Amino acid sequence: MTTASRDSVVWKLAGLLRESGDVVLSGCSTLSLLTTTLQQLNRIFELYLGPWGPGQTGFVALPSHPADSPIILQLQFLFDVLQKTLSLKLVHIPGPGLPGPIKIFPFKSLRQLELRGVPLHCLHGLRGIYSQLETLICSKSIQALEELLSACGGDLCSALPWLALLSADFSYNALTALDSSLRLLSALRFLNLSHNQVQDCKGFLMDLSELYHLDISYNRLHLVPRMGPSGAALGILILRGNELRSLQGLEQLRNLRHLDVAYNLLEGHKELSPLWLLAELRKLYLEGNPLWFHPAHRVATVQYLSPRVRDAAHSFLLDGEVLSLKDFQTPASSGLGPMVLPLPWPVGSTTETSGGPELSDSLSSGGIMAQPLLRKVKNRVRVRRASISEPSDTDPEPRTLDPSPAAELCRPMLVCPLQGPEGVQGRECFLRITSTHLFEVELQAARTLERLELQSLVVAELEPEMRTQREPVPEGSGLLPGAPILVLRFSYICPDRKLRRYVVLESDAHAAVQELLAVLTPFTTVAQQQLREARDPLGTRFQCLRCGCVFKPEETGLGPDGEEGWRPLFQKTESPAVCPSCGSDHVVLMTLSEETSNREQNHGQQSPVSSQSSSPVCDTPGHSDHPSSADIVPPQAPISHGHSSWSLSPSPERCGLRSVDHRLRLFLDVEVFSDAQEEFQCCLKVPVVLAGHSGEFLCLVVVSDHRLYLLKVTGEICGPPASWLQPTLAIPLQDLSGMELGLAGQSLRLEWVTGVGSCVLLPRDARCCRAFLEELIGVLQSLPPTQRNSVIATEEEVTPQHRLWPLLGQVASSEAPQFFYLRAFLVEGPSTCPISLLLTLTTLYLLDEDPAGSQEEPRLPGASGEASEKAPPLVLGPSVQVREQQPLSSLSSVLLYRLAPEDLQLVFYDEVSRLESFWALRVVCKEQLTALLAWIREPWEELFSIGLRTVTQEALDLDR
């Protein structure tokens, strides 16, 4: 051994293990090695400590060597540690050429093995330890499970059962199917097959009798995996992100407690019928399915749950939220119509029962849904009504009830469905149209083959004759050449339900198809109108604040006098936005919200701080009625003033912080989160001040179950998240060392690694700030014990050492100071700047504060008017400066604005100089404005009673 590289590897690894070898040998930490490093170590071991035979197993006792060779002693130490290592992670970085053998022969005591990108045909030595492994993680390495489980990688042996293996993670591989090698994992409790390409599990999971946790999310499954009798132990099943259209098969998993089938293709709540038999279910996730968008989704879902589940509603989570009394409202009160029980079905059968009507959850269909079992009442005589739809002995297939006994719009038409681009002919059927549905009905047994909602119909048209003439007409099919083909297009998610093509087989086919088109055209007209409104949800309507006229952008023009030079409402608008009735440019963009429209129709006093120029405060449509502080953006990070479909201003409750747009969730999972198992917890859009950086910048603060991320908003919030979000900081949750709720609960300071770094979140809303803090504490408490730290949340206290103490006038008093503190914005023309408003019993202060605690030299407080010049200079901390101050006795009035409920003006009058001045302020929520006026009211009333100042109480009226 003469090369410096070999010496470097040996010495560095040996030094590392001498310092931290105890945590490696105890199993608390995992030894991570590159495959190239392991190959180099193996060559050194074989050269100086070996050789060993290929069949060498068990612990190896090294021969004695001269003690005067430090390298040999280091090698002996390394080899001994590797033989006793309990947890190993191997990472392979592809390079030019074929990789050589990767031998794990030195590791005799492994209990956990993790392989990342390791080519299995090069892995040797697994057969000596596979029977003792308890945890196996393999990602980006295998295309078939048998490569690892049966052949033991490059050993190419016939493996026996993995007797000790309890947890197996095969996520992020190229698996397209499972195989019989899974039967070797007889003791397995945890199995992760997520993020593969598996389409059908077949019966390969049926032998895992001890399996409790199965994650097979983000695959391409069309059916629920079959577990057989072994499914009795399964408690957690994660099937999110697949292509499931039915949940049949779940009825066998009687002990299932956690079911995640989010982001599948479940269209109707009738597909939830198997949940009726899952009495132990406590968590159910259905978000992202088509049925999730049903207006009464939660009420409809509850009707399909087991009665035992409803009895334990206080502990049942549906889509992450506990069931409430509103979710248990009766079907009549929820507008769902009458309901009956879901019909039972034989185990493993997918044939619909014919003894009752079809199940539906459509509001317009008058369909039938599931209802909980009625309790038996004694001494009640029940008269059963005979059903004429029961199958007879001669019926080849069970029949369903007549789908449309009332409401048909035209006579049934005989058609032949065409499937696929090749025009493969299906079975002839009747096409029946009611006021809500289109049915394909079997000719003989009148069984419903397909039901399509007319509210989803987008296009109904005839196929061009040139293409119709090219359709092949097989001999003996009975199809007439040149028969018209009806083309229907739907807005469904499922690909096979988007397009329907029918050859009309009526004797008067052309007249019949025109009759069909006449019936279907009104539905397509409504659907196309809805699509246009969906593309432009704001309706592109303006309303004049002067005369109340509502108009479209194309109706805008010059005023009645034909004058030129009207200023546009938005800088990016090509044509001026002026009222065509009175010529005013004081117009607002209307929303679909009735509440907002009614508010805009009230022509109250207009705020001088919200005139023609667009405000820097911008909230996405359909969220809150007030501008959020998180939408106040510095010049380097503008937000779109046009329509944006991003929902980044949630309600201040904790449930709102957990909701996230699916596009943003995908961006976080792929581009931001660094661990495969990392899961999103909550997020908040908020201005942030980072230690070492000047000023605040808008951020998306994201909390996962591993880290806290700061994603800086770098541009207009529209388009792909990667174009306007820049990952700035990632903080492991176990590194958080301090959480302090700021003064009045309007900010949150986070510290990590005890003084190494800190940041301040500035929601400027106590409810939002406390909700995020509670959510963060909940995530920290849910960490594993090995990663949990002892950080606790504290609140900022005002003591004699506090930065604001010199302004409170409490020099020698032991009583708690009385003051009002508010983080707000000072409006100066078209721009705003963050300030702090401090009110004492005698003075009002406008403060410039550095939330991160900068080390700049303090300045003396600024002066405003004669009263300020008489005030003695105050010595404040380096992080706060007085911008302006006014005596409370100079406050003459408070102006509020109907059209800008978060804006106000504090008007001051100086009796000495006879001058009037004002502070134009903007708060982030109306609750802050109410609290501010309530605090001012009490000292004002006292001043009024002693005659120091005559004030108008009407100015303090909160209803103004």
Side-chain angles (χ1 to χ4, degrees):
M1 180 167 43
T2 58
T3 63
S5 61
R6 291 182 179 179
D7 293 347
S8 175
V9 170
V10 173
W11 284 105
K12 288 183 179 180
L13 185 57
L16 177 63
L17 291 177
R18 288 187 184 277
E19 294 178 359
S20 306
D22 53 341
V23 294
V24 173
L25 295 179
S26 64
C28 296
S29 295
T30 298
L31 177 62
S32 299
L33 294 176
L34 294 176
T35 54
T36 54
T37 303
L38 179 58
Q39 289 171 331
Q40 189 174 354
L41 285 174
N42 278 328
R43 287 194 294 268
I44 298 175
F45 289 152
E46 293 176 357
L47 181 61
Y48 289 91
L49 303 181
W52 300 285
Q56 178 73 45
T57 59
F59 195 86
V60 178
L62 296 177
S64 60
H65 287 276
D68 57 350
S69 176
I71 296 298
I72 297 298
L73 294 178
Q74 292 284 35
L75 289 178
Q76 288 182 333
F77 168 75
L78 275 179
F79 192 80
D80 285 339
V81 172
L82 297 188
Q83 285 193 106
K84 301 175 184 177
T85 296
L86 299 180
S87 180
L88 171 66
K89 177 180 179 179
L90 282 181
V91 180
H92 178 73
I93 300 178
L98 297 176
I102 303 173
K103 301 178 182 180
I104 56 175
F105 162 73
F107 298 92
K108 304 295 184 180
S109 306
L110 283 185
R111 295 294 183 268
Q112 175 174 324
L113 176 61
E114 182 175 355
L115 306 174
R116 293 295 177 96
V118 177
L120 290 184
H121 64 280
C122 299
L123 185 66
H124 297 275
L126 185 59
R127 63 179 178 179
I129 60 169
Y130 77 91
S131 61
Q132 68 190 38
L133 287 178
E134 299 174 356
T135 302
L136 177 62
I137 303 173
C138 184
S139 62
K140 300 181 181 179
S141 302
I142 54 176
Q143 297 182 349
L145 291 176
E146 59 185 1
E147 300 176 8
L148 179 63
L149 301 180
S150 296
C152 289
D155 293 337
L156 299 178
C157 65
S158 297
L160 295 175
W162 298 54
L163 300 177
L165 194 64
L166 299 178
S167 175
D169 186 344
F170 303 127
S171 59
Y172 293 94
N173 283 290
L175 299 177
T176 57
L178 307 183
D179 52 57
S180 58
S181 62
L182 282 172
R183 68 180 59 176
L184 299 174
L185 310 181
S186 57
L188 197 66
R189 295 273 296 165
F190 175 94
L191 177 59
N192 188 350
L193 295 168
S194 64
H195 296 88
N196 282 283
Q197 299 294 323
V198 178
Q199 298 184 13
D200 190 355
C201 295
K202 298 184 178 178
F204 296 119
L205 297 174
M206 299 181 68
D207 294 325
L208 304 180
S209 59
E210 301 296 326
L211 191 62
Y212 175 79
H213 187 293
L214 174 61
D215 185 352
I216 193 167
S217 58
Y218 299 103
N219 278 271
R220 302 178 62 184
L221 293 179
H222 297 279
L223 300 173
V224 173
R226 284 187 296 158
M227 301 300 298
S230 64
L234 195 65
I236 299 176
L237 179 58
I238 302 178
L239 295 169
R240 113 175 357 226
N242 281 281
E243 300 175 9
L244 299 178
R245 300 176 187 174
S246 171
L247 296 183
Q248 292 196 16
L250 284 178
E251 63 274 6
Q252 302 176 12
L253 309 178
R254 300 299 179 90
N255 292 322
L256 198 63
R257 300 185 60 85
H258 181 142
L259 176 62
D260 188 344
V261 289
Y263 300 98
N264 278 277
L265 301 178
L266 302 175
E267 291 192 338
H269 287 86
K270 66 178 182 180
E271 307 298 344
L272 305 181
S273 297
L275 302 181
W276 180 264
L277 300 176
L278 304 184
E280 302 298 326
L281 193 64
R282 292 298 179 267
K283 292 183 180 180
L284 176 62
Y285 295 90
L286 297 169
E287 59 182 339
N289 285 282
L291 60 81
W292 186 66
F293 298 95
H294 192 283
H297 159 65
R298 295 182 68 86
V299 177
T301 301
V302 167
Q303 309 304 318
Y304 286 92
L305 299 179
S306 167
R308 289 184 56 185
V309 169
R310 291 193 293 272
D311 293 340
H314 62 281
S315 61
F316 191 95
L317 291 181
L318 175 58
D319 294 325
E321 297 182 12
V322 178
L323 292 179
S324 63
L325 293 178
K326 183 180 179 181
D327 300 329
F328 289 90
Q329 60 183 333
T330 61
S333 64
S334 63
L336 295 176
M339 297 186 181
V340 297
L341 289 175
L343 300 175
W345 61 89
V347 174
S349 172
T350 59
T351 305
E352 294 184 358
T353 306
S354 62
E358 292 183 344
L359 302 176
S360 170
D361 63 315
S362 172
L363 287 173
S364 60
S365 65
I368 300 173
M369 294 182 57
Q371 184 178 0
L373 284 169
L374 297 177
R375 298 186 179 274
K376 294 183 179 180
V377 180
K378 296 183 179 180
N379 300 328
R380 174 179 294 180
V381 179
R382 178 176 297 175
V383 180
R384 297 186 180 273
R385 179 179 299 177
S387 174
I388 62 174
S389 64
E390 288 292 337
S392 65
D393 296 337
T394 59
D395 286 339
E397 295 180 2
R399 299 175 297 174
T400 57
L401 193 66
D402 184 3
S404 55
E408 294 184 5
L409 300 183
C410 65
R411 59 189 174 94
M413 302 289 181
L414 183 62
V415 297
C416 178
L418 299 178
Q419 302 173 359
E422 304 297 332
V424 179
Q425 298 178 16
R427 298 164 56 184
E428 296 180 1
C429 62
F430 283 114
L431 201 62
R432 306 178 68 178
I433 301 176
T434 68
S435 59
T436 57
H437 290 82
L438 181 146
F439 296 92
E440 295 177 7
V441 183
E442 190 184 24
L443 296 183
Q444 295 181 353
R447 184 169 63 92
T448 299
L449 302 176
E450 188 64 72
R451 180 181 62 185
L452 303 167
E453 293 183 346
L454 290 180
Q455 65 179 4
S456 300
L457 181 64
V458 178
V459 175
E461 60 186 2
L462 278 177
E463 197 164 88
E465 295 183 2
M466 295 296 296
R467 181 173 180 180
T468 303
Q469 295 173 358
R470 295 197 302 267
E471 293 290 342
V473 182
E475 296 182 2
S477 62
L479 300 183
L480 299 177
I485 297 180
L486 177 66
V487 179
L488 304 180
R489 301 183 185 275
F490 296 85
S491 59
Y492 289 118
I493 297 177
C494 299
D496 58 347
R497 291 172 63 94
K498 288 184 177 181
L499 176 65
R500 280 290 191 276
R501 299 171 64 224
Y502 304 100
V503 179
V504 181
L505 302 180
E506 296 287 331
S507 57
D508 53 345
H510 291 279
V513 78
Q514 292 299 328
E515 182 180 352
L516 283 173
L517 289 176
V519 172
L520 297 177
T521 298
F523 295 97
T524 61
T525 303
V526 173
Q528 292 174 1
Q529 176 66 22
Q530 292 175 347
L531 288 177
R532 286 193 294 268
E533 292 178 357
R535 296 189 185 102
D536 187 11
L538 294 180
T540 318
R541 297 291 191 274
F542 293 104
Q543 184 179 31
C544 178
L545 295 178
R546 176 181 295 176
C547 66
C549 175
V550 178
F551 57 93
K552 297 180 180 179
E554 56 266 20
E555 298 173 0
T556 61
L558 301 178
D561 299 331
E563 297 180 359
E564 300 285 349
W566 293 102
R567 183 165 60 176
L569 178 64
F570 300 115
Q571 297 297 332
K572 296 183 180 180
T573 306
E574 296 180 358
S575 60
V578 296
C579 176
S581 176
C582 65
S584 172
D585 61 351
H586 286 232
V587 296
V588 294
L589 189 65
M590 297 184 65
T591 68
L592 294 181
S593 172
E594 181 179 358
E595 177 183 357
T596 304
S597 300
N598 293 337
R599 186 175 69 249
E600 290 175 350
Q601 290 174 1
N602 297 326
H603 308 299
Q605 184 179 2
Q606 184 188 5
S607 167
V609 299
S610 57
S611 58
Q612 298 171 350
S613 60
S614 57
S615 168
V617 178
C618 175
D619 204 2
T620 52
H623 299 152
S624 57
D625 290 336
H626 59 79
S628 170
S629 65
D631 296 309
I632 299 178
V633 190
Q636 66 269 22
I639 287 184
S640 171
H641 292 278
H643 168 63
S644 172
S645 61
W646 288 98
S647 299
L648 297 180
S649 298
S651 59
E653 289 76 18
R654 292 183 61 180
C655 59
L657 300 177
R658 290 192 294 265
S659 62
V660 64
D661 192 288
H662 68 280
R663 298 165 294 175
L664 182 59
R665 177 67 179 271
L666 180 62
F667 170 74
L668 296 175
D669 289 338
V670 176
E671 301 292 340
V672 178
F673 294 163
S674 55
D675 292 344
Q677 304 301 324
E678 198 164 1
E679 289 291 339
F680 169 85
Q681 300 297 323
C682 66
C683 68
L684 176 67
K685 185 180 69 172
V686 61
V688 173
V689 176
L690 190 61
H693 296 73
S694 60
E696 62 185 63
F697 55 91
L698 187 62
C699 268
L700 190 67
V701 182
V702 178
V703 179
S704 72
D705 55 355
H706 287 64
R707 297 174 179 84
L708 183 143
Y709 296 89
L710 296 184
L711 308 178
K712 184 177 182 180
V713 178
T714 59
E716 186 178 4
I717 301 182
C718 63
S723 64
W724 49 271
L725 276 181
Q726 175 185 346
T728 302
L729 199 61
I731 308 164
L733 294 181
Q734 61 266 28
D735 288 352
L736 288 177
S737 59
M739 299 182 295
E740 184 183 55
L741 198 63
L743 208 57
Q746 299 175 40
S747 64
L748 178 63
R749 183 181 183 88
L750 301 177
E751 294 183 353
W752 50 92
V753 199
T754 313
V756 173
S758 65
C759 68
V760 180
L761 313 186
L762 295 170
R764 296 182 172 89
D765 185 347
R767 292 183 305 162
C768 181
C769 197
R770 293 183 184 276
F772 180 78
L773 178 59
E774 292 175 3
E775 190 70 19
L776 180 58
I777 292 175
V779 174
L780 293 175
Q781 292 176 347
S782 64
L783 291 177
T786 57
Q787 301 177 10
R788 196 178 305 164
N789 56 15
S790 58
V791 60
I792 58 174
T794 60
E795 293 194 25
E796 183 178 355
E797 297 181 356
V798 179
T799 64
Q801 291 75 33
H802 194 271
R803 64 183 184 279
L804 300 181
W805 189 263
L807 302 177
L808 303 179
Q810 298 290 120
V811 179
S813 175
S814 60
E815 300 179 357
Q818 299 183 25
F819 66 95
F820 181 85
Y821 179 82
L822 178 66
R823 289 186 180 271
F825 296 90
L826 181 65
V827 181
E828 299 176 322
S831 63
T832 61
C833 65
I835 54 95
S836 297
L837 181 65
L838 178 65
L839 279 68
T840 67
L841 297 177
T842 58
T843 312
L844 295 85
Y845 297 96
L846 283 183
L847 306 177
D848 290 325
E849 292 191 78
D850 181 6
S854 64
Q855 300 301 322
E856 298 177 0
E857 291 297 327
R859 296 186 304 179
L860 293 179
S864 176
E866 188 103 0
S868 298
E869 294 179 359
K870 298 178 181 179
L874 299 174
V875 180
L876 301 176
S879 62
V880 59
Q881 299 168 0
V882 177
R883 174 188 287 257
E884 293 185 44
Q885 68 184 71
Q886 289 283 358
L888 186 59
S889 58
S890 298
L891 183 62
S892 61
S893 61
V894 179
L895 300 182
L896 308 179
Y897 307 98
R898 297 181 187 272
L899 298 181
E902 286 80 25
D903 289 348
L904 76 155
Q905 277 194 5
L906 301 179
V907 182
F908 304 95
Y909 182 77
D910 190 343
E911 292 183 344
V912 177
S913 61
R914 304 292 181 182
L915 296 177
E916 190 175 67
S917 61
F918 66 89
W919 293 349
L921 304 176
R922 178 170 299 156
V923 297
V924 299
C925 62
K926 290 181 284 190
E927 290 77 9
Q928 291 183 344
L929 183 59
T930 303
L932 172 62
L933 296 180
W935 203 93
I936 292 178
R937 184 190 302 270
E938 182 176 355
W940 246 16
E941 289 177 347
E942 181 180 354
L943 292 174
F944 178 75
S945 64
I946 62 177
L948 290 179
R949 184 85 180 130
T950 302
V951 298
T952 304
Q953 286 289 353
E954 186 181 10
L956 287 176
D957 188 1
L958 299 182
D959 297 328
R960 181 180 176 183

